[in-house]
Amino acid sequence: MLRLRRQVYLDNNATTEVSAAVQKIMRKVLAQCFGNPSSRYRVAREAAEILVQARKNVALAIGADPGEIIFTGGASEANNQILKSLLAARGQGRDTVVASPLEHPSVLKTLEYLGTCGVRVLFCPVGRDGRVVMDALAAMIDERTRLVCCMAANNETGVMQDLATISRLAHSKGALMFADCVQALGKMLLDCNALGLDYASFSAHKIHGPKGVGALYVRAGKPLTPLIHGGHQESGLRAGTEALHNVAGFGEACREIPGVLACAGTVAVLRDHLAAALQAALPGTVINTPREFSVPNTLSITLPGFDNGEAIAFLDYHGIAASAGSACNTQANEPSHVLRAIGLSDQAARQTLRFSLGERISRRDIRYVGAVFGDYLRGHGTPVTMINPAQLNEDMLFNENLFILDVRNLVDRKILKGLPGSHEAPLLSLKHYLGQVPRQREILVACQGGTDGPIVAYYLKSKGYHHVSFVMGGVFAWKVCQSELYVRLGGTCITVLEPGKKLHEIPSD
Ligand code: PLP
């Protein structure tokens, strides 16, 4: 069994661990509160009371009235509902949305859809500092503008926008103002009312709550149409029996926000320590997160000369979870639209990493990351090569210097055929098979979906193998990129390695 070293979770913008208090209330609701809040007897009334309390907690955390909160199945749903509500207003003269190009895909893709329905969508320019260019935005808002849409803080760069000013600009031309506040909640003080927002969206799992629940804020009196029809729940704006345990968990997570915000200063200091350590290790490092207007936990850095996929794999092997930013698709390896929008080249975007810290991070954790990753950046690490599955053609696969090590388990092997010519050895007892993995050849590690490959590749490096690479996205990605080859040659010429044997005891390929 491969054992990982210290675990440091630095991907809190992707999701957060569920806090103990949230788990407790969710367990309680699941065990004791099975009533349907819409019914009229005691267990139902208890359930309804939980719903009321959770709504109050969320409202308090965002500067809203409880009546302005609609619980949803997450922020993606909330974003869809707010934007698709615009369809009801078509033909009323205002047909335009002015949006920032930095938005989450649940906003951008919905806008793309609205574009096909006749809504005019304009994107405002953003500067290299990650902020919308205010003069340009002001010039784009006019009497055709129905909605201005700008997120509060970006998930990749952590950059906060000046929402109060943007709201004023929108309202001065009679437009409505919508902000996706998912990455701002719990990281800065938020007051929807004071900021002049008409709509906002929130997600519980970014603030130590459960996944699959979020909220939509709609200012009293502003128009909103349901996305899900068929029930009176949530004032008739979101049909379906409430996921009470999730909603209660969300409410509890909101109740904990003041404690989280109290740690913001410490988190920012640790984030800055990390930035300094990495800049010292690699002087050309570019910081994409300006300290003056960013949430405290996020650090986006570009590391010239380093591929972010390989860096993430290296960090993963050392127990450190970081990310390339949300839009990095492991199969297509598309550079992030956010980084492109702020002016990074595709190459620079592929060299960019995001660290997002949580409140439980310690100075020791950051020292560990700075030391391990700093060594890697100074060139003392043990880099392995990441192979794009699209490159794995017949020539490459049957190169006689290549030894393909397939570390998938039995179940995965039944689901997908292996790379042709690969050698199968189970990940969990890999060390018993190493005698059969030749040191003089290039080792290509293949796992099912791309998660285990990097870990095994670094493990082999630590065992003295010189040329080690892994398939990005694993066999699954290879099947997608090389579908013809998969059908024709997948699963052929497979060797099953045997535990404990030495190299000369297995038949040659
Ligand atoms: N908006 C932003 C800025 C996000 O970062 C995310 C999640 O990554 C979402 C929306 C979607 O949230 P959910 O996972 O609740 O659908």
Side-chain angles (χ1 to χ4, degrees):
M1 171 87 187
L2 305 180
R3 227 174 316 116
L4 289 177
R5 299 166 174 82
R6 201 183 179 91
Q7 297 287 310
V8 185
Y9 184 71
L10 296 177
D11 203 16
N12 286 271
N13 287 7
T15 197
T16 54
E17 67 178 314
V18 179
S19 79
V22 168
Q23 290 182 39
K24 188 171 168 201
I25 194 162
M26 288 181 72
R27 268 198 302 271
K28 182 175 161 212
V29 171
L30 281 169
Q32 296 169 20
C33 309
F34 65 92
N36 185 327
S38 300
S39 301
R40 298 224 170 135
Y41 32 80
R42 186 181 305 166
V43 281
R45 279 197 301 277
E46 282 166 6
E49 187 45 44
I50 288 167
L51 199 56
V52 167
Q53 191 53 51
R55 205 182 302 281
K56 279 187 194 158
N57 290 346
V58 175
L60 195 64
I62 66 166
D65 282 337
E68 295 173 316
I69 305 294
I70 314 287
F71 285 118
T72 62
S76 297
E77 181 189 320
N79 289 342
N80 268 264
Q81 181 166 359
I82 292 163
L83 292 170
K84 287 177 182 168
S85 281
L86 292 173
L87 289 175
R90 270 176 314 175
Q92 294 175 15
R94 289 183 178 265
D95 62 349
T96 303
V97 180
V98 178
S100 103
L102 307 169
E103 301 299 300
H104 186 264
S106 57
V107 169
L108 291 181
K109 290 287 170 192
T110 308
L111 289 175
E112 198 178 302
Y113 165 73
L114 293 179
T116 67
C117 305
V119 175
R120 188 165 157 254
V121 181
L122 304 177
F123 289 105
C124 65
V126 286
R128 180 63 185 89
D129 60 3
R131 294 194 120 189
V132 302
V133 180
M134 215 51 98
D135 292 347
L137 178 71
M140 292 172 87
I141 305 170
D142 58 21
E143 45 297 324
R144 280 183 75 177
T145 311
R146 169 120 191 120
L147 186 79
V148 176
C149 163
C150 182
M151 69 203 316
N154 185 265
N155 40 314
E156 294 188 40
T157 62
V159 171
M160 301 184 297
Q161 302 292 343
D162 179 356
L163 290 187
T165 303
I166 299 175
S167 290
R168 267 198 303 279
L169 289 174
H171 293 152
S172 71
K173 295 284 166 58
L176 295 161
M177 174 68 196
F178 159 43
D180 173 334
C181 294
V182 168
Q183 295 291 346
L185 187 61
K187 294 173 187 152
M188 58 189 261
L189 283 172
L190 256 188
D191 188 326
C192 292
N193 190 30
L195 287 170
L197 304 182
D198 298 303
Y199 305 98
S201 54
F202 303 91
S203 178
H205 73 98
K206 310 285 183 177
I207 57 161
H208 305 291
K211 292 167 186 59
V213 60
L216 181 164
Y217 160 81
V218 52
R219 183 181 286 272
K222 298 297 173 189
L224 186 73
T225 53
L227 190 64
I228 302 173
H229 299 260
H232 61 275
Q233 293 88 353
E234 301 299 301
S235 313
L237 289 166
R238 206 278 185 175
T241 307
E242 300 83 352
L244 204 59
H245 57 301
N246 272 349
V247 167
F250 186 15
E252 186 63 22
C254 283
R255 233 168 54 82
E256 294 191 296
I257 284 179
V260 171
L261 286 177
C263 303
T266 313
V267 169
V269 167
L270 293 178
R271 185 256 321 252
D272 295 344
H273 280 338
L274 178 60
L278 302 184
Q279 277 185 310
L282 185 71
T285 296
V286 179
I287 307 277
N288 304 307
T289 303
R291 292 173 70 217
E292 324 78 87
F293 37 78
S294 59
V295 287
N297 78 321
T298 307
L299 174 66
S300 167
I301 51 165
T302 304
L303 306 162
F306 288 86
D307 181 283
N308 56 15
E310 286 181 17
I312 287 167
F314 173 83
L315 291 168
D316 185 21
Y317 176 66
H318 288 87
I320 301 161
S323 92
S326 73
C328 180
N329 174 335
T330 34
Q331 275 146 48
N333 200 20
E334 269 293 302
S336 138
H337 71 282
V338 172
L339 300 175
R340 274 175 165 168
I342 65 169
L344 266 66
S345 66
D346 285 2
Q347 188 192 31
R350 288 202 170 92
Q351 296 171 338
T352 300
L353 279 184
R354 174 188 74 186
F355 297 99
S356 47
L357 286 63
E359 318 74 62
R360 298 209 3 215
I361 199 80
S362 69
R363 207 167 275 273
R364 268 184 83 191
D365 288 333
I366 291 300
R367 269 207 299 268
Y368 169 70
V369 179
V372 166
F373 199 41
D375 257 4
Y376 172 80
L377 297 177
R378 283 187 201 93
H380 304 157
T382 51
V384 299
T385 312
M386 183 175 68
I387 301 291
N388 184 336
Q391 290 171 358
L392 276 179
N393 56 21
E394 227 164 317
D395 280 353
M396 196 160 164
L397 287 165
F398 289 106
N399 176 336
E400 57 186 29
N401 194 34
L402 190 70
F403 184 95
I404 304 172
L405 183 63
D406 181 333
V407 294
R408 296 175 305 146
N409 61 37
L410 276 176
V411 177
D412 286 346
R413 283 185 192 138
K414 288 211 167 77
I415 297 170
L416 288 179
K417 296 187 279 186
L419 298 178
S422 53
H423 301 78
E424 295 178 348
L427 171 69
L428 291 183
S429 48
L430 190 60
K431 65 179 180 191
H432 301 301
Y433 294 79
L434 285 189
Q436 296 164 61
V437 181
R439 288 180 183 275
Q440 69 285 7
R441 286 170 66 182
E442 283 190 35
I443 314 297
L444 175 66
V445 182
C447 62
Q448 186 82 337
T451 315
D452 296 329
I455 296 182
V456 172
Y458 279 103
Y459 171 71
L460 293 177
K461 269 284 183 184
S462 72
K463 292 289 167 202
Y465 286 82
H466 291 296
H467 305 290
V468 188
S469 54
F470 64 93
V471 185
M472 200 171 89
V475 176
F476 175 78
W478 180 70
K479 180 186 173 213
V480 172
C481 297
Q482 296 277 3
S483 48
E484 185 276 325
L485 215 53
Y486 177 82
V487 173
R488 189 158 52 84
L489 291 176
T492 59
C493 308
I494 303 288
T495 306
V496 180
L497 299 183
E498 289 174 45
K501 281 206 168 173
K502 292 279 186 300
L503 199 52
H504 63 268
E505 295 177 78
I506 54 165
S508 63
D509 313 324

